[in-house]
């Protein structure tokens, strides 16, 4: 029996049928777009009619007659009013269009979905570090429940993680710094780069709290801080890290900022300070800020090893003994500082043996501020002269008893040239500018508890006083007031804090070098010319002032 061929439409008409269906679908879509207003009105009329039927069914039978009479009266009145039927038709059409609109709510995006994905990714990244083979009930496993591992988490308005509490198994070696560093590096990368994170390890409960820290304010200008004598504000830190705040003026507003206060004097356990940083990190700004605060209650001797003249604004001011930037002047000034320290020690010892209070000329604080002193070390070695750092041994070793404070600022590339006395007796430490955790630990003696930020403004770093905790630090803006590249507001703030110019008292003569020297001072200078020191008599107290022997 011969097989009958299939119809032509079933063999060769597949493409035509598909094309016909596509044309029909396109025509239907176009017709729907064109007739969409009519469809909406028809849907609205149907909904109004359904609502009317429901209302009529709910009306009691004894009230249906009055309702029909009222509806008929309204229709009669509308028909008698000019343009009444037209207005009634427009009203019904508008009501039908409103009732026939599409009420389907748009699909809302779940804001928690991206955040959940972030937590799942973070959980999966921690599995290789917190999982152990043979654990019968693992807290971390691929595809496990992250809700048990993250009991608390918060996100900011931008959807970034700002706080997270992580539970980790007891077998994790949380007492090893290397293991902690690996976890902190992973969390800083997964939680979002470009921010600083604070890691708080709770070994007793096997929990780790990760908090994204807000950036420290870096535009606070130099001003008079509400501090007691012997207190110096190094900068500002995070709220809750220190038990006090200072009222500060920040532009036109007033705010309370937690400070990092360094205490000096007879009972200080950190009488001297060392600041290290990269070029342009703000170490000179820190020295200027300390100098402005020290001049309120003491005398200042500045050694400028950078040779850029950033301390020229202090020259000739009340309380500023000298601003030295040459090798000869530095040697003479530091030699006088060592002699002055020894003199104060002898005077204090004699007064105590006699049962008297210390003399007044030993109570006024003396500050030695040295910016890059290693530059003079190389110059002294090339000239075959004494290293100026060797003259700091007396002020560093006995400065606390003599009310003498030494502040040294140096760069990282020259830190190896610092003498042993500076390294041993500077228990207050500051690191400014970009630095690795290893560099911060080498200087401060402890690693920072926060991740280093991506961008570091000038004056931003870490501080540690003795064996205390490591604090984030932001030095107040104290630029060179003679620098035209700085804003006028910041320069004016520094100029307002500078003491007035020194005015020579009556009876003084001006020698050839232009320095006012009285007759008594000239006689004393001739007697101690070999040492290069003079004794000047002030109206209020007796102090020692350096006379550099630059010959």
């Amino acid at each position: 029996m011969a097989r009958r061929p299939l119809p032509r439409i079933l063999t060769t008409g597949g493409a035509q049928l598909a094309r016909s269906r596509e044309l029909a679908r396109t025509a239907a879509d176009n017709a729907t777009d064109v007739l969409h207003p009519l469809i909406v009105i028809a849907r609205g009329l149907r909904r109004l009619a359904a609502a009317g039927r429901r209302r009529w069914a709910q009306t009691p039978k004894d009230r249906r007659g009055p309702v029909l009479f009222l509806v008929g009266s309204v229709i009669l009145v509308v028909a008698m009013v000019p343009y009444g039927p037209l207005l009634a038709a427009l009203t019904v059409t508008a009501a039908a269009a409103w009732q026939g609109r599409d009420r389907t709510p748009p699909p809302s995006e779940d804001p928690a979905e991206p955040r959940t994905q972030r937590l799942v990714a973070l959980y999966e990244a921690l599995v290789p570090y917190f999982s152990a083979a043979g654990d019968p009930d693992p807290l971390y496993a691929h595809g496990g429940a992250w809700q048990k591992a993250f009991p608390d988490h918060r996100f900011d308005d931008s959807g970034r993680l700002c706080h997270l509490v992580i539970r980790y198994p007891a077998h994790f070696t949380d007492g090893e710094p290397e293991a902690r560093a690996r976890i902190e590096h992973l969390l800083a990368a997964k939680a979002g780069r470009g921010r600083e994170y604070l890691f708080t390890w709770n070994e007793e409960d096997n929990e780790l709290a990760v908090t994204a820290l807000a950036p420290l304010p870096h535009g606070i200008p130099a001003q008079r801080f509400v501090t007691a004598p012997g207190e110096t504000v190094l900068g500002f830190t995070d709220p809750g890290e220190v038990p006090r705040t200072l009222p500060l003026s920040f532009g036109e507003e007033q705010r309370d900022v937690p400070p990092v206060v360094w205490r000096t004097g007879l009972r200080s356990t950190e009488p001297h300070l060392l600041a290290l940083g990269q070029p342009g990190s703000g170490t000179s700004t820190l020295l200027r800020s300390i100098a402005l605060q020290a001049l309120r209650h003491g005398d200042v001797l500045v050694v400028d090893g950078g040779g850029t003249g950033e301390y020229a604004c202090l020259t000739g001011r009340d309380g500023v003994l000298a601003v030295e930037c040459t090798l000869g002047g530095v040697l003479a000034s530091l030699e006088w500082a060592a002699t002055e320290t020894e003199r104060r020690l002898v005077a204090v010892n004699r007064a105590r043996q006699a049962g008297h209070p210390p003399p007044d000329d030993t109570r006024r604080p003396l500050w030695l501020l040295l910016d890059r002193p290693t530059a003079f070390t190389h110059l002294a070695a090339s000239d075959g002269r004494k290293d100026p750092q060797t003259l700091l041994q007396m002020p560093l070793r006995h400065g606390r008893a003599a009310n003498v404070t030494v502040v040294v600022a140096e760069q990282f590339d020259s830190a190896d040239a610092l003498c042993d006395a500076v390294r041993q007796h500077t228990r207050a430490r500051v690191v400014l500018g970009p630095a690795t955790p290893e560099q911060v630990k080498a200087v401060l003696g402890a690693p920072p508890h926060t991740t280093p930020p991506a961008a570091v403004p000038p004056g931003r770093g870490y501080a540690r006083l003795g064996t205390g905790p490591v604090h984030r630090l932001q030095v107040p803006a104290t630029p060179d007031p003679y620098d035209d590249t700085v804003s006028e507001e910041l320069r004016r703030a520094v100029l307002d804090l500078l003491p007035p110019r020194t005015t020579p008292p009556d009876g003084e003569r001006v020698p050839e070098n232009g320095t006012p020297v009285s007759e008594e001072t000239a006689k004393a200078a001739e007697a101690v010319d070999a040492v290069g020191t003079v004794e000047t008599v002030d109206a209020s107290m007796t102090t020692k002032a350096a006379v550099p022997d630059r010959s």
Side-chain angles (χ1 to χ4, degrees):
M1 180 178 175
R3 299 179 62 182
R4 297 180 60 182
L6 294 174
R8 181 182 179 87
I9 190 172
L10 297 178
T11 58
T12 61
Q16 295 179 358
L17 289 176
R19 187 163 49 253
S20 300
R21 287 195 297 269
E22 185 66 26
L23 291 175
R25 189 179 297 108
T26 304
D29 293 340
N30 293 336
T32 302
D33 294 339
V34 173
L35 301 177
H36 181 70
L38 297 178
I39 294 174
V40 172
I41 293 175
R43 188 189 304 124
L45 290 174
R46 186 174 66 252
R47 292 177 178 175
L48 289 176
R53 287 195 302 269
R54 288 193 303 271
R55 187 64 180 272
W56 178 258
Q58 295 175 357
T59 304
K61 293 182 179 181
D62 56 346
R63 295 183 181 181
R64 291 183 180 181
V67 170
L68 288 176
F69 178 77
L70 179 61
V71 172
S73 302
V74 171
I75 294 175
L76 181 62
V77 171
V78 170
M80 297 178 60
V81 173
Y83 303 103
L86 180 60
L87 294 176
L90 292 177
T91 303
V92 172
T93 302
W98 177 257
Q99 290 293 330
R101 72 188 188 279
D102 188 8
R103 301 181 181 181
T104 304
S108 58
E109 298 182 358
D110 187 7
E113 185 64 25
R115 301 178 180 181
T116 303
Q117 294 178 0
R118 288 173 180 261
L119 294 176
V120 171
L122 186 59
Y123 174 83
E124 294 292 336
L126 291 173
V127 169
Y129 298 93
F130 289 153
S131 61
D135 191 352
D137 187 15
L139 181 61
Y140 287 84
H142 291 290
W146 61 268
Q147 291 82 358
K148 295 182 180 180
F150 304 151
D152 184 19
H153 56 83
R154 292 195 301 270
F155 291 84
D156 55 13
D157 297 337
S158 61
R160 304 183 70 183
L161 192 66
C162 62
H163 180 72
L164 178 65
V165 177
I166 301 174
R167 293 178 55 197
Y168 57 88
H171 59 74
F172 176 72
T173 56
D174 53 2
E176 299 179 0
E178 295 78 8
R180 288 190 177 190
R182 287 193 298 267
I183 299 299
E184 293 176 359
H185 178 74
L186 173 64
L187 293 175
K190 292 295 183 180
R193 298 183 181 272
R195 296 185 297 174
E196 290 186 82
Y197 294 93
L198 174 64
F199 301 97
T200 305
W201 292 84
N202 186 359
E203 295 87 350
E204 296 181 358
D205 298 333
N206 295 328
E207 289 185 352
L208 169 62
V210 185
T211 305
L213 298 176
L216 294 176
H218 63 276
I220 299 180
Q223 53 194 280
R224 293 194 180 277
F225 304 115
V226 184
T227 56
E231 293 183 346
T232 303
V233 176
L234 299 180
F236 313 103
T237 185
D238 298 302
E241 294 295 325
V242 293
R244 62 183 292 186
T245 58
L246 289 180
L248 301 178
S249 299
F250 188 68
E252 296 181 355
E253 62 174 321
Q254 301 284 333
R255 65 172 65 174
D256 292 337
V257 181
V260 178
V261 179
W262 173 39
R263 293 175 176 84
T264 58
L266 298 176
R267 293 173 177 82
S268 173
T269 58
E270 303 88 19
H272 309 295
L273 182 139
L274 173 63
L276 294 178
Q278 302 290 349
S281 59
T283 54
S284 300
T285 300
L286 175 62
L287 256 65
R288 271 191 299 269
S289 177
I290 293 176
L292 293 178
Q293 299 179 63
L295 288 173
R296 297 173 57 184
H297 307 286
D299 299 325
V300 174
L301 173 63
V302 181
V303 173
D304 184 9
T308 57
E310 294 189 358
Y311 305 95
C313 60
L314 300 175
T315 304
R317 302 285 180 174
D318 288 347
V320 180
L321 303 181
V323 178
E324 299 293 347
C325 57
T326 61
L327 179 59
V330 170
L331 289 173
S333 299
L334 294 183
E335 188 173 355
W336 168 83
T339 306
E340 172 66 8
T341 304
E342 185 177 0
R343 185 197 67 82
R344 291 190 175 198
L345 287 175
V346 173
V348 170
N349 188 24
R350 290 177 178 176
R352 289 176 179 175
Q353 290 179 359
H356 300 298
D360 293 338
D361 58 350
T362 62
R363 295 181 179 180
R364 185 172 177 82
L366 174 61
W367 292 73
L368 307 180
L369 308 181
L370 296 89
D371 191 358
R372 299 189 63 185
T374 57
F376 298 106
T377 300
H378 300 294
L379 292 177
S382 61
D383 292 347
R385 306 177 71 175
K386 182 188 300 185
D387 185 2
Q389 294 189 64
T390 59
L391 300 174
L392 294 175
Q393 293 186 5
M394 177 63 70
L396 287 171
R397 292 179 183 273
H398 307 284
R400 180 176 62 178
N403 224 347
V404 177
T405 304
V406 179
V407 181
V408 179
E410 192 53 72
Q411 297 180 2
F412 276 116
D413 53 1
S414 302
D416 296 337
L418 292 173
C419 64
D420 294 337
V422 174
R423 297 174 180 273
Q424 294 175 1
H425 297 282
T426 52
R427 293 175 49 84
R429 300 290 182 90
V430 174
V431 176
L432 298 180
T436 61
E438 291 76 14
Q439 289 178 324
V440 176
K441 182 179 180 181
V443 177
L444 303 182
H449 296 291
T450 61
T451 55
V456 181
R460 175 68 174 81
Y462 300 93
R464 189 187 187 198
L465 304 178
T467 58
V470 178
H471 298 291
R472 290 202 306 168
L473 181 70
Q474 178 61 53
V475 179
T478 315
D480 182 9
Y482 299 155
D483 187 3
D484 296 337
T485 61
V486 185
S487 64
E488 179 65 23
E489 180 182 0
L490 296 179
R491 289 190 292 144
R492 176 54 56 185
V494 176
L495 290 174
D496 293 341
L497 295 178
L498 289 173
R501 296 283 184 180
T502 302
T503 55
D506 296 337
E508 289 190 349
R509 60 182 179 85
V510 180
E512 297 179 357
N513 58 4
T515 304
V517 179
S518 62
E519 296 181 358
E520 297 180 356
T521 302
K523 295 179 180 179
E526 294 176 359
V528 294
D529 185 68
V531 183
T533 62
V534 298
E535 183 173 353
T536 59
V537 180
D538 193 86
S540 59
M541 64 179 60
T542 303
T543 60
K544 294 274 186 171
V547 178
D549 186 6
R550 298 180 177 81
S551 61

